PDB file of all heavy atoms in Angstrom:
ATOM      1  N   GLU F   1      73.371  27.839  -7.548  1.00  0.00           N
ATOM      2  CA  GLU F   1      72.844  29.136  -7.946  1.00  0.00           C
ATOM      3  C   GLU F   1      71.385  29.208  -7.541  1.00  0.00           C
ATOM      4  O   GLU F   1      70.763  28.199  -7.189  1.00  0.00           O
ATOM      5  CB  GLU F   1      72.967  29.340  -9.460  1.00  0.00           C
ATOM      6  CG  GLU F   1      73.881  30.500  -9.885  1.00  0.00           C
ATOM      7  CD  GLU F   1      73.333  31.892  -9.574  1.00  0.00           C
ATOM      8  OE1 GLU F   1      72.487  32.041  -8.669  1.00  0.00           O
ATOM      9  OE2 GLU F   1      73.750  32.842 -10.259  1.00  0.00           O
ATOM     10  N   GLY F   2      70.851  30.443  -7.557  1.00  0.00           N
ATOM     11  CA  GLY F   2      69.482  30.655  -7.140  1.00  0.00           C
ATOM     12  C   GLY F   2      68.666  31.398  -8.175  1.00  0.00           C
ATOM     13  O   GLY F   2      69.168  32.328  -8.826  1.00  0.00           O
ATOM     14  N   ILE F   3      67.413  30.980  -8.355  1.00  0.00           N
ATOM     15  CA  ILE F   3      66.491  31.664  -9.245  1.00  0.00           C
ATOM     16  C   ILE F   3      65.781  32.756  -8.465  1.00  0.00           C
ATOM     17  O   ILE F   3      65.226  32.511  -7.392  1.00  0.00           O
ATOM     18  CB  ILE F   3      65.462  30.684  -9.841  1.00  0.00           C
ATOM     19  CG1 ILE F   3      66.159  29.645 -10.724  1.00  0.00           C
ATOM     20  CG2 ILE F   3      64.396  31.433 -10.641  1.00  0.00           C
ATOM     21  CD1 ILE F   3      65.235  28.558 -11.234  1.00  0.00           C
ATOM     22  N   MET F   4      65.785  33.968  -9.015  1.00  0.00           N
ATOM     23  CA  MET F   4      65.089  35.089  -8.404  1.00  0.00           C
ATOM     24  C   MET F   4      63.836  35.392  -9.222  1.00  0.00           C
ATOM     25  O   MET F   4      63.902  35.499 -10.456  1.00  0.00           O
ATOM     26  CB  MET F   4      65.995  36.318  -8.321  1.00  0.00           C
ATOM     27  CG  MET F   4      67.283  36.084  -7.558  1.00  0.00           C
ATOM     28  SD  MET F   4      68.275  37.587  -7.341  1.00  0.00           S
ATOM     29  CE  MET F   4      67.370  38.382  -6.004  1.00  0.00           C
ATOM     30  N   LEU F   5      62.715  35.520  -8.559  1.00  0.00           N
ATOM     31  CA  LEU F   5      61.469  35.894  -9.208  1.00  0.00           C
ATOM     32  C   LEU F   5      61.292  37.396  -9.132  1.00  0.00           C
ATOM     33  O   LEU F   5      61.870  38.067  -8.268  1.00  0.00           O
ATOM     34  CB  LEU F   5      60.292  35.201  -8.527  1.00  0.00           C
ATOM     35  CG  LEU F   5      60.381  33.682  -8.357  1.00  0.00           C
ATOM     36  CD1 LEU F   5      59.134  33.160  -7.649  1.00  0.00           C
ATOM     37  CD2 LEU F   5      60.581  32.984  -9.687  1.00  0.00           C
ATOM     38  N   ASP F   6      60.478  37.949 -10.045  1.00  0.00           N
ATOM     39  CA  ASP F   6      60.142  39.359  -9.924  1.00  0.00           C
ATOM     40  C   ASP F   6      58.974  39.520  -8.948  1.00  0.00           C
ATOM     41  O   ASP F   6      58.484  38.532  -8.378  1.00  0.00           O
ATOM     42  CB  ASP F   6      59.856  39.982 -11.295  1.00  0.00           C
ATOM     43  CG  ASP F   6      58.598  39.435 -11.970  1.00  0.00           C
ATOM     44  OD1 ASP F   6      57.722  38.861 -11.290  1.00  0.00           O
ATOM     45  OD2 ASP F   6      58.480  39.598 -13.200  1.00  0.00           O
ATOM     46  N   VAL F   7      58.522  40.743  -8.736  1.00  0.00           N
ATOM     47  CA  VAL F   7      57.489  40.988  -7.727  1.00  0.00           C
ATOM     48  C   VAL F   7      56.147  40.378  -8.111  1.00  0.00           C
ATOM     49  O   VAL F   7      55.258  40.236  -7.266  1.00  0.00           O
ATOM     50  CB  VAL F   7      57.321  42.503  -7.452  1.00  0.00           C
ATOM     51  CG1 VAL F   7      58.573  43.067  -6.809  1.00  0.00           C
ATOM     52  CG2 VAL F   7      56.989  43.256  -8.739  1.00  0.00           C
ATOM     53  N   ASN F   8      56.000  39.979  -9.383  1.00  0.00           N
ATOM     54  CA  ASN F   8      54.760  39.348  -9.826  1.00  0.00           C
ATOM     55  C   ASN F   8      54.856  37.823  -9.873  1.00  0.00           C
ATOM     56  O   ASN F   8      53.914  37.157 -10.285  1.00  0.00           O
ATOM     57  CB  ASN F   8      54.374  39.871 -11.216  1.00  0.00           C
ATOM     58  CG  ASN F   8      54.032  41.346 -11.191  1.00  0.00           C
ATOM     59  OD1 ASN F   8      53.233  41.789 -10.371  1.00  0.00           O
ATOM     60  ND2 ASN F   8      54.642  42.117 -12.076  1.00  0.00           N
ATOM     61  N   GLY F   9      55.990  37.300  -9.472  1.00  0.00           N
ATOM     62  CA  GLY F   9      56.149  35.854  -9.418  1.00  0.00           C
ATOM     63  C   GLY F   9      56.697  35.213 -10.675  1.00  0.00           C
ATOM     64  O   GLY F   9      56.811  33.993 -10.739  1.00  0.00           O
ATOM     65  N   PHE F  10      57.043  36.015 -11.680  1.00  0.00           N
ATOM     66  CA  PHE F  10      57.660  35.468 -12.882  1.00  0.00           C
ATOM     67  C   PHE F  10      59.169  35.316 -12.668  1.00  0.00           C
ATOM     68  O   PHE F  10      59.775  36.054 -11.879  1.00  0.00           O
ATOM     69  CB  PHE F  10      57.412  36.373 -14.087  1.00  0.00           C
ATOM     70  CG  PHE F  10      55.979  36.398 -14.548  1.00  0.00           C
ATOM     71  CD1 PHE F  10      55.133  37.451 -14.204  1.00  0.00           C
ATOM     72  CD2 PHE F  10      55.473  35.364 -15.325  1.00  0.00           C
ATOM     73  CE1 PHE F  10      53.814  37.474 -14.624  1.00  0.00           C
ATOM     74  CE2 PHE F  10      54.157  35.373 -15.756  1.00  0.00           C
ATOM     75  CZ  PHE F  10      53.314  36.425 -15.394  1.00  0.00           C
ATOM     76  N   VAL F  11      59.772  34.391 -13.372  1.00  0.00           N
ATOM     77  CA  VAL F  11      61.217  34.190 -13.289  1.00  0.00           C
ATOM     78  C   VAL F  11      61.923  35.405 -13.889  1.00  0.00           C
ATOM     79  O   VAL F  11      61.628  35.804 -15.022  1.00  0.00           O
ATOM     80  CB  VAL F  11      61.626  32.903 -14.026  1.00  0.00           C
ATOM     81  CG1 VAL F  11      63.148  32.789 -14.093  1.00  0.00           C
ATOM     82  CG2 VAL F  11      61.023  31.677 -13.340  1.00  0.00           C
ATOM     83  N   ALA F  12      62.836  35.988 -13.114  1.00  0.00           N
ATOM     84  CA  ALA F  12      63.602  37.138 -13.598  1.00  0.00           C
ATOM     85  C   ALA F  12      64.977  36.698 -14.088  1.00  0.00           C
ATOM     86  O   ALA F  12      65.301  36.782 -15.267  1.00  0.00           O
ATOM     87  CB  ALA F  12      63.729  38.197 -12.507  1.00  0.00           C
ATOM     88  N   GLU F  13      65.790  36.211 -13.169  1.00  0.00           N
ATOM     89  CA  GLU F  13      67.141  35.770 -13.493  1.00  0.00           C
ATOM     90  C   GLU F  13      67.697  35.023 -12.295  1.00  0.00           C
ATOM     91  O   GLU F  13      67.000  34.847 -11.287  1.00  0.00           O
ATOM     92  CB  GLU F  13      68.035  36.964 -13.842  1.00  0.00           C
ATOM     93  CG  GLU F  13      68.143  38.025 -12.758  1.00  0.00           C
ATOM     94  CD  GLU F  13      68.969  39.234 -13.203  1.00  0.00           C
ATOM     95  OE1 GLU F  13      69.899  39.054 -13.997  1.00  0.00           O
ATOM     96  OE2 GLU F  13      68.671  40.347 -12.737  1.00  0.00           O
ATOM     97  N   ALA F  14      68.947  34.583 -12.365  1.00  0.00           N
ATOM     98  CA  ALA F  14      69.621  33.986 -11.228  1.00  0.00           C
ATOM     99  C   ALA F  14      70.319  35.094 -10.444  1.00  0.00           C
ATOM    100  O   ALA F  14      70.300  36.260 -10.841  1.00  0.00           O
ATOM    101  CB  ALA F  14      70.609  32.925 -11.700  1.00  0.00           C
ATOM    102  N   THR F  15      70.934  34.753  -9.321  1.00  0.00           N
ATOM    103  CA  THR F  15      71.525  35.794  -8.478  1.00  0.00           C
ATOM    104  C   THR F  15      72.676  36.515  -9.168  1.00  0.00           C
ATOM    105  O   THR F  15      72.938  37.682  -8.893  1.00  0.00           O
ATOM    106  CB  THR F  15      72.026  35.220  -7.139  1.00  0.00           C
ATOM    107  OG1 THR F  15      73.128  34.330  -7.369  1.00  0.00           O
ATOM    108  CG2 THR F  15      70.920  34.492  -6.399  1.00  0.00           C
ATOM    109  N   ALA F  16      73.366  35.817 -10.085  1.00  0.00           N
ATOM    110  CA  ALA F  16      74.483  36.447 -10.790  1.00  0.00           C
ATOM    111  C   ALA F  16      74.496  36.096 -12.272  1.00  0.00           C
ATOM    112  O   ALA F  16      75.507  36.328 -12.951  1.00  0.00           O
ATOM    113  CB  ALA F  16      75.808  36.037 -10.153  1.00  0.00           C
ATOM    114  N   ASP F  17      73.410  35.546 -12.769  1.00  0.00           N
ATOM    115  CA  ASP F  17      73.385  35.053 -14.143  1.00  0.00           C
ATOM    116  C   ASP F  17      71.999  35.225 -14.750  1.00  0.00           C
ATOM    117  O   ASP F  17      71.011  35.353 -14.033  1.00  0.00           O
ATOM    118  CB  ASP F  17      73.749  33.564 -14.181  1.00  0.00           C
ATOM    119  CG  ASP F  17      75.104  33.271 -13.563  1.00  0.00           C
ATOM    120  OD1 ASP F  17      76.116  33.636 -14.184  1.00  0.00           O
ATOM    121  OD2 ASP F  17      75.145  32.699 -12.461  1.00  0.00           O
ATOM    122  N   ASN F  18      71.942  35.172 -16.076  1.00  0.00           N
ATOM    123  CA  ASN F  18      70.667  35.063 -16.777  1.00  0.00           C
ATOM    124  C   ASN F  18      70.287  33.591 -16.883  1.00  0.00           C
ATOM    125  O   ASN F  18      71.131  32.710 -16.731  1.00  0.00           O
ATOM    126  CB  ASN F  18      70.769  35.674 -18.175  1.00  0.00           C
ATOM    127  CG  ASN F  18      70.960  37.182 -18.133  1.00  0.00           C
ATOM    128  OD1 ASN F  18      72.022  37.690 -18.487  1.00  0.00           O
ATOM    129  ND2 ASN F  18      69.932  37.907 -17.724  1.00  0.00           N
ATOM    130  N   ILE F  19      69.016  33.326 -17.124  1.00  0.00           N
ATOM    131  CA  ILE F  19      68.527  31.949 -17.162  1.00  0.00           C
ATOM    132  C   ILE F  19      67.801  31.665 -18.472  1.00  0.00           C
ATOM    133  O   ILE F  19      67.122  32.544 -19.024  1.00  0.00           O
ATOM    134  CB  ILE F  19      67.617  31.659 -15.949  1.00  0.00           C
ATOM    135  CG1 ILE F  19      67.250  30.163 -15.875  1.00  0.00           C
ATOM    136  CG2 ILE F  19      66.368  32.540 -15.968  1.00  0.00           C
ATOM    137  CD1 ILE F  19      66.619  29.758 -14.553  1.00  0.00           C
ATOM    138  N   PHE F  20      67.981  30.449 -18.963  1.00  0.00           N
ATOM    139  CA  PHE F  20      67.330  29.969 -20.183  1.00  0.00           C
ATOM    140  C   PHE F  20      66.705  28.610 -19.909  1.00  0.00           C
ATOM    141  O   PHE F  20      67.187  27.855 -19.055  1.00  0.00           O
ATOM    142  CB  PHE F  20      68.349  29.774 -21.314  1.00  0.00           C
ATOM    143  CG  PHE F  20      68.923  31.033 -21.900  1.00  0.00           C
ATOM    144  CD1 PHE F  20      69.894  31.758 -21.219  1.00  0.00           C
ATOM    145  CD2 PHE F  20      68.528  31.481 -23.158  1.00  0.00           C
ATOM    146  CE1 PHE F  20      70.449  32.904 -21.774  1.00  0.00           C
ATOM    147  CE2 PHE F  20      69.073  32.622 -23.714  1.00  0.00           C
ATOM    148  CZ  PHE F  20      70.033  33.342 -23.024  1.00  0.00           C
ATOM    149  N   LEU F  21      65.675  28.273 -20.658  1.00  0.00           N
ATOM    150  CA  LEU F  21      65.164  26.912 -20.650  1.00  0.00           C
ATOM    151  C   LEU F  21      64.981  26.449 -22.096  1.00  0.00           C
ATOM    152  O   LEU F  21      64.871  27.259 -23.022  1.00  0.00           O
ATOM    153  CB  LEU F  21      63.865  26.798 -19.851  1.00  0.00           C
ATOM    154  CG  LEU F  21      62.639  27.615 -20.283  1.00  0.00           C
ATOM    155  CD1 LEU F  21      61.849  26.892 -21.374  1.00  0.00           C
ATOM    156  CD2 LEU F  21      61.733  27.853 -19.078  1.00  0.00           C
ATOM    157  N   VAL F  22      64.998  25.147 -22.263  1.00  0.00           N
ATOM    158  CA  VAL F  22      64.793  24.527 -23.566  1.00  0.00           C
ATOM    159  C   VAL F  22      63.566  23.636 -23.476  1.00  0.00           C
ATOM    160  O   VAL F  22      63.463  22.805 -22.564  1.00  0.00           O
ATOM    161  CB  VAL F  22      66.013  23.692 -23.995  1.00  0.00           C
ATOM    162  CG1 VAL F  22      65.776  23.074 -25.381  1.00  0.00           C
ATOM    163  CG2 VAL F  22      67.282  24.534 -24.001  1.00  0.00           C
ATOM    164  N   LYS F  23      62.630  23.817 -24.394  1.00  0.00           N
ATOM    165  CA  LYS F  23      61.425  22.991 -24.442  1.00  0.00           C
ATOM    166  C   LYS F  23      61.153  22.656 -25.901  1.00  0.00           C
ATOM    167  O   LYS F  23      60.977  23.565 -26.731  1.00  0.00           O
ATOM    168  CB  LYS F  23      60.230  23.741 -23.838  1.00  0.00           C
ATOM    169  CG  LYS F  23      58.978  22.892 -23.722  1.00  0.00           C
ATOM    170  CD  LYS F  23      59.117  21.782 -22.672  1.00  0.00           C
ATOM    171  CE  LYS F  23      57.808  21.051 -22.456  1.00  0.00           C
ATOM    172  NZ  LYS F  23      57.935  19.964 -21.449  1.00  0.00           N
ATOM    173  N   ASP F  24      61.135  21.363 -26.207  1.00  0.00           N
ATOM    174  CA  ASP F  24      60.919  20.916 -27.593  1.00  0.00           C
ATOM    175  C   ASP F  24      61.895  21.591 -28.556  1.00  0.00           C
ATOM    176  O   ASP F  24      61.522  22.026 -29.645  1.00  0.00           O
ATOM    177  CB  ASP F  24      59.470  21.179 -28.021  1.00  0.00           C
ATOM    178  CG  ASP F  24      58.463  20.430 -27.151  1.00  0.00           C
ATOM    179  OD1 ASP F  24      58.788  19.305 -26.705  1.00  0.00           O
ATOM    180  OD2 ASP F  24      57.376  20.967 -26.906  1.00  0.00           O
ATOM    181  N   ARG F  25      63.136  21.726 -28.113  1.00  0.00           N
ATOM    182  CA  ARG F  25      64.260  22.298 -28.863  1.00  0.00           C
ATOM    183  C   ARG F  25      64.125  23.797 -29.117  1.00  0.00           C
ATOM    184  O   ARG F  25      64.991  24.394 -29.773  1.00  0.00           O
ATOM    185  CB  ARG F  25      64.496  21.558 -30.185  1.00  0.00           C
ATOM    186  CG  ARG F  25      65.004  20.135 -29.991  1.00  0.00           C
ATOM    187  CD  ARG F  25      65.361  19.469 -31.308  1.00  0.00           C
ATOM    188  NE  ARG F  25      66.449  20.154 -32.012  1.00  0.00           N
ATOM    189  CZ  ARG F  25      67.754  20.010 -31.733  1.00  0.00           C
ATOM    190  NH1 ARG F  25      68.133  19.236 -30.716  1.00  0.00           N
ATOM    191  NH2 ARG F  25      68.659  20.633 -32.443  1.00  0.00           N
ATOM    192  N   ALA F  26      63.075  24.426 -28.602  1.00  0.00           N
ATOM    193  CA  ALA F  26      62.989  25.890 -28.632  1.00  0.00           C
ATOM    194  C   ALA F  26      63.640  26.431 -27.359  1.00  0.00           C
ATOM    195  O   ALA F  26      63.514  25.838 -26.276  1.00  0.00           O
ATOM    196  CB  ALA F  26      61.541  26.343 -28.722  1.00  0.00           C
ATOM    197  N   ILE F  27      64.331  27.541 -27.495  1.00  0.00           N
ATOM    198  CA  ILE F  27      65.050  28.147 -26.374  1.00  0.00           C
ATOM    199  C   ILE F  27      64.283  29.381 -25.918  1.00  0.00           C
ATOM    200  O   ILE F  27      63.927  30.232 -26.723  1.00  0.00           O
ATOM    201  CB  ILE F  27      66.482  28.518 -26.800  1.00  0.00           C
ATOM    202  CG1 ILE F  27      67.240  27.255 -27.249  1.00  0.00           C
ATOM    203  CG2 ILE F  27      67.218  29.224 -25.675  1.00  0.00           C
ATOM    204  CD1 ILE F  27      68.556  27.557 -27.930  1.00  0.00           C
ATOM    205  N   VAL F  28      64.023  29.460 -24.606  1.00  0.00           N
ATOM    206  CA  VAL F  28      63.214  30.543 -24.058  1.00  0.00           C
ATOM    207  C   VAL F  28      63.976  31.208 -22.924  1.00  0.00           C
ATOM    208  O   VAL F  28      64.596  30.532 -22.088  1.00  0.00           O
ATOM    209  CB  VAL F  28      61.853  30.023 -23.540  1.00  0.00           C
ATOM    210  CG1 VAL F  28      60.983  31.184 -23.082  1.00  0.00           C
ATOM    211  CG2 VAL F  28      61.147  29.198 -24.611  1.00  0.00           C
ATOM    212  N   THR F  29      63.935  32.520 -22.873  1.00  0.00           N
ATOM    213  CA  THR F  29      64.572  33.272 -21.794  1.00  0.00           C
ATOM    214  C   THR F  29      63.696  34.466 -21.444  1.00  0.00           C
ATOM    215  O   THR F  29      62.994  35.001 -22.309  1.00  0.00           O
ATOM    216  CB  THR F  29      65.987  33.737 -22.207  1.00  0.00           C
ATOM    217  OG1 THR F  29      66.674  34.275 -21.071  1.00  0.00           O
ATOM    218  CG2 THR F  29      65.939  34.778 -23.310  1.00  0.00           C
ATOM    219  N   PRO F  30      63.670  34.900 -20.189  1.00  0.00           N
ATOM    220  CA  PRO F  30      62.838  36.044 -19.823  1.00  0.00           C
ATOM    221  C   PRO F  30      63.304  37.325 -20.512  1.00  0.00           C
ATOM    222  O   PRO F  30      64.488  37.477 -20.817  1.00  0.00           O
ATOM    223  CB  PRO F  30      63.040  36.153 -18.302  1.00  0.00           C
ATOM    224  CG  PRO F  30      63.516  34.809 -17.871  1.00  0.00           C
ATOM    225  CD  PRO F  30      64.330  34.290 -19.016  1.00  0.00           C
ATOM    226  N   PRO F  31      62.388  38.249 -20.752  1.00  0.00           N
ATOM    227  CA  PRO F  31      62.785  39.554 -21.289  1.00  0.00           C
ATOM    228  C   PRO F  31      63.610  40.309 -20.252  1.00  0.00           C
ATOM    229  O   PRO F  31      63.609  39.968 -19.068  1.00  0.00           O
ATOM    230  CB  PRO F  31      61.447  40.249 -21.569  1.00  0.00           C
ATOM    231  CG  PRO F  31      60.465  39.558 -20.666  1.00  0.00           C
ATOM    232  CD  PRO F  31      60.925  38.150 -20.546  1.00  0.00           C
ATOM    233  N   THR F  32      64.308  41.343 -20.707  1.00  0.00           N
ATOM    234  CA  THR F  32      65.254  42.015 -19.817  1.00  0.00           C
ATOM    235  C   THR F  32      64.663  43.193 -19.040  1.00  0.00           C
ATOM    236  O   THR F  32      65.401  43.933 -18.392  1.00  0.00           O
ATOM    237  CB  THR F  32      66.475  42.513 -20.610  1.00  0.00           C
ATOM    238  OG1 THR F  32      66.024  43.374 -21.666  1.00  0.00           O
ATOM    239  CG2 THR F  32      67.242  41.347 -21.194  1.00  0.00           C
ATOM    240  N   ALA F  33      63.347  43.352 -19.059  1.00  0.00           N
ATOM    241  CA  ALA F  33      62.751  44.443 -18.276  1.00  0.00           C
ATOM    242  C   ALA F  33      62.994  44.239 -16.786  1.00  0.00           C
ATOM    243  O   ALA F  33      63.169  45.201 -16.040  1.00  0.00           O
ATOM    244  CB  ALA F  33      61.255  44.533 -18.556  1.00  0.00           C
ATOM    245  N   THR F  34      63.006  42.964 -16.357  1.00  0.00           N
ATOM    246  CA  THR F  34      63.185  42.669 -14.927  1.00  0.00           C
ATOM    247  C   THR F  34      64.482  41.923 -14.657  1.00  0.00           C
ATOM    248  O   THR F  34      64.632  41.299 -13.607  1.00  0.00           O
ATOM    249  CB  THR F  34      62.000  41.837 -14.402  1.00  0.00           C
ATOM    250  OG1 THR F  34      61.889  40.633 -15.183  1.00  0.00           O
ATOM    251  CG2 THR F  34      60.705  42.624 -14.494  1.00  0.00           C
ATOM    252  N   SER F  35      65.413  41.975 -15.595  1.00  0.00           N
ATOM    253  CA  SER F  35      66.701  41.325 -15.400  1.00  0.00           C
ATOM    254  C   SER F  35      67.767  42.075 -16.175  1.00  0.00           C
ATOM    255  O   SER F  35      67.470  42.863 -17.075  1.00  0.00           O
ATOM    256  CB  SER F  35      66.650  39.856 -15.863  1.00  0.00           C
ATOM    257  OG  SER F  35      66.375  39.782 -17.252  1.00  0.00           O
ATOM    258  N   LEU F  36      69.019  41.806 -15.823  1.00  0.00           N
ATOM    259  CA  LEU F  36      70.126  42.488 -16.470  1.00  0.00           C
ATOM    260  C   LEU F  36      70.228  42.091 -17.940  1.00  0.00           C
ATOM    261  O   LEU F  36      70.044  40.930 -18.290  1.00  0.00           O
ATOM    262  CB  LEU F  36      71.433  42.137 -15.752  1.00  0.00           C
ATOM    263  CG  LEU F  36      72.699  42.824 -16.267  1.00  0.00           C
ATOM    264  CD1 LEU F  36      72.664  44.310 -15.951  1.00  0.00           C
ATOM    265  CD2 LEU F  36      73.936  42.171 -15.667  1.00  0.00           C
ATOM    266  N   LYS F  37      70.549  43.072 -18.783  1.00  0.00           N
ATOM    267  CA  LYS F  37      70.790  42.796 -20.200  1.00  0.00           C
ATOM    268  C   LYS F  37      72.185  42.189 -20.336  1.00  0.00           C
ATOM    269  O   LYS F  37      73.156  42.873 -20.637  1.00  0.00           O
ATOM    270  CB  LYS F  37      70.677  44.075 -21.027  1.00  0.00           C
ATOM    271  CG  LYS F  37      69.278  44.668 -21.059  1.00  0.00           C
ATOM    272  CD  LYS F  37      69.246  45.961 -21.871  1.00  0.00           C
ATOM    273  CE  LYS F  37      67.846  46.571 -21.880  1.00  0.00           C
ATOM    274  NZ  LYS F  37      67.800  47.854 -22.622  1.00  0.00           N
ATOM    275  N   GLY F  38      72.259  40.887 -20.103  1.00  0.00           N
ATOM    276  CA  GLY F  38      73.541  40.205 -20.082  1.00  0.00           C
ATOM    277  C   GLY F  38      74.239  40.213 -21.439  1.00  0.00           C
ATOM    278  O   GLY F  38      73.612  39.921 -22.459  1.00  0.00           O
TER     279      GLY F  38
END
């Protein structure tokens, strides 16, 4: 799969999926302004 950035260089989503990361057991995902509301 591929990560797509928005025009400002922030992570938007994958080519066909939303993306999440886990850091110190907190779960973070980009807001849906620049990605599909999955």
Side-chain angles (χ1 to χ4, degrees):
E1 243 290 23
I3 296 174
M4 303 185 78
L5 308 179
D6 67 20
V7 294
N8 294 310
F10 291 101
V11 173
E13 58 184 328
T15 67
D17 303 289
N18 292 112
I19 188 167
F20 289 76
L21 60 85
V22 181
K23 186 69 173 179
D24 299 326
R25 292 186 62 81
I27 300 169
V28 185
T29 189
T32 57
T34 57
S35 62
L36 183 69
K37 294 179 181 178

